[in-house]
Amino acid sequence: MGFMTGKRGLVTGVLHETSIATSITQSLLREGAECLFTHMPGEKMERRTRKIVEGFGVSNPWLQPMDVASDADISACFERVGKEFGQIDFVVHCIAFADKDWLRLGKFAATPRAVFANAMDISAFSYMAMGNAALPVLKDGAAMIGLSYYGSEKAVPGYNVMGVAKAALEATNRYLAMELGRVKNVRCNLVSAGPIKTLSAGAVGGFDQILERIPQVAPLPRNITAAEVGDCAAFLLSDLSRGMTGQVLYVDSGYSIMGL
Ligand code: NAD
């Protein structure tokens, strides 16, 4: 019996085998959770997510299209969850986006207004919007998580506007934790993951240099794996972390503690 046995929740962001959400799903399933999945709208996107989760032995998975740029999509998702399941135990936000033309070295200061706003909308606002829409269908004591990165705190060349969006996500997490905890004992935490080669990461200019630097500097002289993030995420979604909310937990080989 795993520590998520008897818990059911929603997972966003399963797009590819390398997606961090895919590893979170593996950890959750291993620990006995039942997972419901969203994907970007479109048949091709549905097929991709379905294939990945069916590969983990989930037959006939629950799938719902949800583009977080759309308020209607977010509402429709949680209304359907409520109709079909009543209340659920957890929500995983594993979503980020910024126009890759502005994730290049030396391309921060000129970021256009629309690109900046879009990165904030998809990568930070959506976490709050999902928390708010989910609230009626979350059980007392439910948990929500999202994914951040160290570029929220320090200037990381190439991470640019996404770093600003992650700073907003971390602040959003604290304010959301403050309200959802008071209203319904719902906990909100983030995992700040070290660099992992995923489709999104490929859009960040200088990403390979970031990957090369960690083993040179971090206390654990290696890059982390997505499975390590998955396990920490499962912990944050479980009752094992029941006293924690509003936190950012680092799964980064310890890189963030170093001063030099
Ligand atoms: P990924 O490309 O596999 O996942 C990104 C996901 O965001 C995809 O599933 C995509 O469909 C989804 N998405 C983008 N726009 C969306 C929208 N409008 N509506 C709904 N979904 C949308 O990459 P990943 O690295 O697994 O990213 C997952 C999370 O982890 C992101 O928040 C990312 O910033 C964060 N993160 C990644 C790293 C890393 O190095 N890969 C490190 C720290 C944090």
Side-chain angles (χ1 to χ4, degrees):
M1 205 169 101
F3 60 72
M4 292 298 284
T5 300
K7 292 199 185 287
R8 177 191 282 142
L10 186 82
V11 179
T12 63
V14 177
L15 172 67
H16 188 261
E17 282 76 12
T18 59
S19 293
I20 291 175
T22 301
S23 294
I24 294 175
T25 299
Q26 283 182 286
S27 296
L28 289 170
L29 293 174
R30 184 195 67 220
E31 294 303 329
E34 183 188 337
C35 297
L36 319 172
F37 299 93
T38 70
H39 56 82
M40 283 292 274
E43 241 177 76
K44 194 175 155 212
M45 292 300 186
E46 177 183 329
R47 262 203 314 277
R48 285 178 78 149
T49 305
R50 180 185 294 279
K51 189 166 171 240
I52 293 166
V53 299
E54 284 184 345
F56 299 147
V58 180
S59 59
N60 195 19
W62 190 96
L63 293 162
Q64 170 74 17
M66 181 172 75
D67 178 346
V68 294
S70 158
D71 290 338
D73 276 16
I74 296 175
S75 303
C77 174
F78 290 103
E79 276 165 22
R80 183 178 161 207
V81 167
K83 265 193 207 121
E84 295 184 25
F85 302 104
Q87 294 195 315
I88 58 172
D89 301 278
F90 63 86
V91 172
V92 176
H93 178 283
C94 225
I95 293 170
F97 180 81
D99 181 338
K100 65 176 169 29
D101 289 351
W102 298 93
L103 302 178
R104 297 275 163 268
L105 303 183
K107 294 267 266 176
F108 175 67
T111 307
R113 189 183 295 263
V115 170
F116 192 103
N118 188 232
M120 293 291 251
D121 183 19
I122 304 303
S123 315
F125 172 82
S126 68
Y127 182 72
M128 182 193 75
M130 277 179 55
N132 188 47
L135 194 58
V137 303
L138 288 179
K139 287 184 186 164
D140 192 279
M144 173 161 182
I145 63 155
L147 269 295
S148 193
Y149 172 64
Y150 187 59
S152 62
E153 298 164 51
K154 303 286 175 187
V156 175
Y159 203 60
N160 301 0
V161 68
M162 186 54 79
V164 178
K166 290 301 188 194
L169 177 70
E170 292 182 9
T172 301
N173 181 58
R174 288 186 282 274
Y175 281 94
L176 198 63
M178 176 177 77
E179 284 196 6
L180 301 198
R182 287 276 166 173
V183 174
K184 217 174 181 181
N185 279 311
V186 170
R187 300 184 297 109
C188 306
N189 291 291
L190 301 179
V191 177
S192 183
I196 298 170
K197 240 187 159 77
T198 61
L199 293 180
S200 293
V204 177
F207 187 79
D208 286 341
Q209 286 97 300
I210 301 175
L211 273 178
E212 279 167 25
R213 181 143 173 88
I214 308 296
Q216 294 165 7
V217 179
L220 304 177
R222 61 173 178 82
N223 278 297
I224 58 146
T225 64
E228 289 166 337
V229 178
D231 284 352
C232 188
F235 158 73
L236 287 175
L237 294 168
S238 80
D239 295 340
L240 293 173
S241 60
R242 62 194 172 280
M244 291 174 64
T245 194
Q247 301 300 315
V248 180
L249 204 52
Y250 293 80
V251 182
D252 67 347
S253 303
Y255 180 76
S256 57
I257 68 159
M258 297 303 294
L260 254 191

